[in-house]
Amino acid sequence: MFKKRFLLLPIFAMSLSACAGVHHEIKDYILELNYKDNYRILQLSDTHIGDKDNTKLHYDFLDLTIKEANPDLIVITGDVFTFASRGTAKEFFDFLDSYEVPWTLVFGNHDEQCCFSIDWVTKEIEKHEYAIFKDLRDDDIQGNSNFAINLKVGPAIFEQLIFMDSNRYYYGDYFGYDWFKQDQINWYKDLVDYTKEQNGGLTVPSLMFYHIPLPEVNDAWAYAEKNPSAVIYTEGVMGEAPCNPDPGHDLHFFDVIKEKHSTHGMYFGHDHVNNFIVNYEGIDFGYGIKATDRVYYDEALLGGRVIVLKTDHSLAYENFYHSYAEVK
């Protein structure tokens, strides 16, 4: 059954990394993991863990997906918390650590609606043994989850995983969702160029993870509907209109992504009853599968997705769906 969405307004003024901060070298944003054949990245999205819920029930439900997925890396694509306390955040990170698998996350628009600051939670993440996450809190890049993980085979970079903060809300000439800022786009370009230089002049393929989808997700879906035979990965549904930032503020990030010829898959959440994957202009646009029944949802579309990164850099997908009836 579809549960109707609603907009939760920010209740606290939380700090984001501001553009007036310290400039850091690109290498300071990069972490490393070892790649292995058929690398399994489990994408969980929009968990919305909060104090007033039965968190154990959510953990039992998430456990079904995590164990079935058998991931090498767990990625949560935003809206990790809503109305959560520090204790609940620590509890959730301990839960993720219990699988003894690397895990990471990006922030969504609701993660500031908690009894802690974003700066506090980034410090808390970094304390956990299996978390692989970086927030340079004094930097000059907008947002709090802009970093990269290089998947390496020996000394060589096999693939780069790029994590970006799609920010929260915009309070200017209208109220709505925020967007990637120009300093973030410049950071992306510098990251791809730096990694290419480190790779002997060869562009390193990359995958991107963020929360609020780019405006082109609408074009991708329209293309899939008109050209079903031409779309390799068409799967899933458009259960609601994408909630993008106002198009008048679009900085054409997608054009930059195409120009750099690195990113071949982008994964996001935000719209809870969309779960499709479409290959559009050579790049996979992939909505995550909502990971819990918090806020609003379709009972038939709860679980998670594994992105399988193969040795030839091709991608495969495995969807896992579960019901709360399995853990009640």
Side-chain angles (χ1 to χ4, degrees), residues 131-157:
I132 180 160
F133 175 91
K134 180 169 281 195
D135 175 30
L136 299 180
R137 285 172 284 274
D138 66 344
D139 72 357
D140 57 352
I141 309 300
Q142 183 75 36
N144 299 86
S145 49
N146 304 301
F147 63 98
I149 299 173
N150 286 346
L151 297 180
K152 301 191 73 174
V153 177
I157 306 169

Side-chain angles (χ1 to χ4, degrees), residues 7-10 169-177:
L7 180 66
L8 300 176
L9 300 180
Y169 297 97
Y170 175 69
Y171 300 96
D173 52 341
Y174 78 104
F175 171 73
Y177 296 110

Side-chain angles (χ1 to χ4, degrees), residues 82-96:
T82 305
F83 304 147
S85 65
R86 291 186 177 191
T88 294
K90 290 179 180 179
E91 178 187 75
F92 184 55
F93 298 150
D94 288 343
F95 164 75
L96 294 173

Side-chain angles (χ1 to χ4, degrees), residues 22 58 170 180 187 238 265:
V22 177
H58 292 315
Y170 175 69
F180 293 109
W187 176 85
M238 171 84 88

Side-chain angles (χ1 to χ4, degrees), residues 99-254:
Y99 292 93
E100 300 183 358
V101 170
W103 60 269
T104 193
L105 57 84
V106 293
F107 293 116
N109 50 292
H110 287 301
D111 287 304
E112 68 178 9
Q113 296 163 338
C114 293
C115 301
F116 48 73
S117 69
I118 295 292
D119 282 351
W120 175 85
V121 80
T122 63
K123 294 175 185 176
E124 185 61 34
I125 294 167
E126 291 166 353
K127 293 177 183 178
H128 282 74
E129 181 178 359
Y130 289 93
I132 180 160
F133 175 91
K134 180 169 281 195
D135 175 30
L136 299 180
R137 285 172 284 274
D138 66 344
D139 72 357
D140 57 352
I141 309 300
Q142 183 75 36
N144 299 86
S145 49
N146 304 301
F147 63 98
I149 299 173
N150 286 346
L151 297 180
K152 301 191 73 174
V153 177
I157 306 169
F158 174 76
E159 183 106 10
Q160 187 167 70
L161 308 181
I162 300 173
F163 301 86
M164 296 188 68
D165 193 332
S166 56
N167 301 306
R168 317 289 183 264
Y169 297 97
Y170 175 69
Y171 300 96
D173 52 341
Y174 78 104
F175 171 73
Y177 296 110
D178 213 340
W179 56 87
F180 293 109
K181 305 303 184 182
Q182 190 61 54
D183 55 26
Q184 293 178 286
I185 297 171
N186 293 341
W187 176 85
Y188 170 86
K189 293 191 289 187
D190 290 346
L191 174 66
V192 172
D193 289 345
Y194 173 82
T195 307
K196 178 178 179 179
E197 179 183 339
Q198 296 298 302
N199 194 46
L202 298 175
T203 299
V204 174
S206 63
L207 305 177
M208 285 181 63
F209 298 86
Y210 50 92
H211 180 66
I212 300 173
L214 293 178
E216 287 79 9
V217 72
N218 297 283
D219 301 330
W221 179 253
Y223 174 74
E225 289 190 304
K226 292 180 180 178
N227 303 277
S229 63
V231 182
I232 301 171
Y233 299 121
T234 304
E235 181 169 333
V237 299
M238 171 84 88
E240 62 179 300
C243 291
N244 303 126
D246 183 85
H249 295 275
D250 181 26
L251 299 179
H252 305 290
F253 188 16
F254 186 55

Side-chain angles (χ1 to χ4, degrees), residues 49 150 201 235 297 323:
I49 299 297
N150 286 346
E235 181 169 333
Y297 58 94
S323 164

Side-chain angles (χ1 to χ4, degrees), residues 38-52:
N38 297 318
Y39 197 82
R40 299 176 63 82
I41 303 169
L42 172 60
Q43 180 190 5
L44 302 172
S45 201
D46 295 271
T47 46
H48 286 280
I49 299 297
D51 283 5
K52 292 187 177 181

